[in-house]
Amino acid sequence: MAVRTRFRPDRGLTVRMVWTVFLLGLLYVLFVAALVALLKSVFWVVVIAGGLLFAQYWFSDKIALAGMGARTVTPQQAPELHGLLDRLCATADMPKPRVAISDSDLPNAFATGRNQENAVVCVTTGLLRRLDTQELEGVLAHELSHVAHRDVAVMTIASFLGVLAGLVTRFAFYSGLFGGRGRNNQQGFPVLLAVLLVSAVVYAVSFLLIRALSRYRELAADRAGALLTGRPSALASALTRVSGDMARIPTRDLRAASAFNALFFAPAIPSRASLAGLLMTHPPLERRVEQLARISREIGEAGR
C-alpha cells in the first residue's frame, strides 16, 4: 500500500506514468505473443520474461548499488547525511529510506527501490565534497520526491521491456532455438531475422517512451524538492555546480557511469536542447534552472 507524504501530488507525472506503463504493457503483450509465434516455445518465453521482470523489480536496489560500488551506511558512519535525511523525511512525513554512499569522484546521487519501505538514497563522495549543506539538502529532497511519487518503481518496470528485447535475442541466438546446422539452420535463419526485427522495434519504442517519462520526472522532482525545502535557489546552485564539475571528470569515467543516467540527479553526459534531446534522460540544465527560478519568484510573491 502506498504511503502518503507531504510532497504535493503531481498529476502531470501520474498521468504520464500511467500512460507509459499502459503503452509499454501493450507493447509487452504484443512482443511476447510475437515471440511465442516465432519461437514456438511458450515455456522459454514465459520463463525468461517472468524471471527477468521479477529479478529487475525485486532486486533493483541491490543491482544499482552493486553497479555503483556503493555501500549502505549507518548514522554513526555518516551522521550529517543521516541528519539531513531525518529532517527532510520528518518534513515530508514519509519513511526514511536506507542511506548509501558510493566512493566515486563523480558528483551525483540517485534513489532506487521498489517502494517507499524498500527505497535507498545513494550519494557519491564526489557530491559530498562539492556541495554545502543547503545544496545537499536540495539534492536529497529531489531524490526523496522520486521515492514519494513512486516513479522510481515505475521506471524500473518500464525499463524492463527494453532489457527483455535485447536479452531474448541473445538467448534465442545462442540457445539453438533456431535449429542446428544444414537444413535446420536454413529454416531457422528467417526466424532469427524476424526476432531481431521485432526486438529492434520493441527496444526503439520502449527507449523513446522511457526517455520522455524520465525527462518529465526530473522536472517534477526538481519542483517537488524545491517546494519541500523552500529553497529553490539552493537546488539550482547544486545543479549548476554538479553540471559544471562534471566536465572535470575523465571522459572514461563519465562513459562508464552513463549506464546509470536514468537514475542520476544529473546526467553523466549533459543534455542539450536539440533533436538529440529526445534521446536524453534529463531535460537541459537551462530548463531546470529556469523552472527553479520561476518557483523562487512564486515563493517570494506568496510570502509578501
Side-chain angles (χ1 to χ4, degrees):
M1 182 178 295
V3 180
R4 290 186 176 275
T5 72
R6 292 198 180 104
F7 277 105
R8 294 185 182 181
D10 193 312
R11 293 184 179 180
L13 178 60
T14 301
V15 169
R16 284 168 172 80
M17 288 193 298
V18 170
W19 270 108
T20 299
V21 171
F22 172 76
L23 292 173
L24 287 173
L26 180 61
L27 191 63
Y28 172 69
V29 171
L30 296 175
F31 182 51
V32 170
L35 288 178
V36 170
L38 290 169
L39 303 180
K40 311 294 184 183
S41 176
V42 177
F43 174 77
W44 284 114
V45 172
V46 171
V47 167
I48 295 173
L52 183 60
L53 177 59
F54 173 81
Q56 186 165 356
Y57 177 72
W58 202 260
F59 301 110
S60 59
D61 54 338
K62 296 179 177 61
I63 294 172
L65 292 180
M68 284 296 296
R71 69 189 191 283
T72 56
V73 292
T74 64
Q76 291 72 32
Q77 293 171 318
E80 294 184 8
L81 184 59
H82 272 273
L84 281 175
L85 276 170
D86 284 335
R87 292 193 292 273
L88 287 170
C89 289
T91 302
D93 192 21
M94 65 181 292
K96 181 183 176 182
R98 287 174 293 142
V99 183
I101 294 178
S102 171
D103 187 14
S104 170
D105 191 45
L106 184 77
N108 234 312
F110 65 89
T112 185
R114 62 185 183 274
N115 52 41
Q116 291 187 30
E117 290 74 19
N118 295 278
V120 57
V121 171
C122 177
V123 299
T124 65
T125 52
L127 187 80
L128 294 175
R129 285 197 301 270
R130 288 173 171 86
L131 302 188
D132 63 29
T133 300
Q134 290 189 354
E135 291 171 337
L136 181 59
E137 182 184 57
V139 173
L140 294 176
H142 170 106
E143 297 303 332
L144 286 177
S145 76
H146 282 314
V147 176
H149 289 148
R150 301 185 296 279
D151 57 88
V152 169
V154 170
M155 286 295 291
T156 298
I157 296 173
S159 62
F160 159 72
L161 188 55
V163 174
L164 177 64
L167 289 183
V168 164
T169 302
R170 294 181 185 180
F171 177 82
F173 186 81
Y174 292 109
S175 65
L177 290 178
F178 302 112
R181 299 177 178 177
R183 186 170 62 182
N184 287 336
N185 188 51
Q186 292 178 356
Q187 294 173 348
F189 186 70
V191 178
L192 171 61
L193 290 180
V195 170
L196 289 174
L197 179 60
V198 170
S199 298
V201 171
V202 167
Y203 180 82
V205 174
S206 62
F207 182 89
L208 292 175
L209 287 173
I210 292 169
R211 289 302 191 273
L213 175 61
S214 180
R215 290 191 297 274
Y216 186 88
R217 85 180 189 117
E218 292 303 328
L219 289 173
D222 285 346
R223 182 166 53 249
L227 292 174
L228 181 71
T229 63
R231 286 189 288 268
S233 60
L235 181 54
S237 176
L239 268 170
T240 303
R241 189 187 302 273
V242 167
S243 298
D245 285 358
M246 206 78 75
R248 302 175 184 174
I249 304 299
T251 303
R252 180 185 58 186
D253 295 341
L254 292 178
R255 289 177 178 172
S258 64
F260 295 89
N261 267 356
L263 291 177
F264 280 156
F265 165 68
I269 300 177
S271 307
R272 291 178 174 81
S274 66
L275 182 60
L278 295 175
L279 308 179
M280 297 299 182
T281 55
H282 292 62
L285 172 64
E286 294 77 12
R287 185 177 179 187
R288 298 177 73 177
V289 172
E290 286 173 4
Q291 176 185 245
L292 290 169
R294 185 170 63 253
I295 294 173
S296 184
R297 290 194 297 270
E298 292 172 356
I299 291 176
E301 292 172 358
R304 293 176 183 174

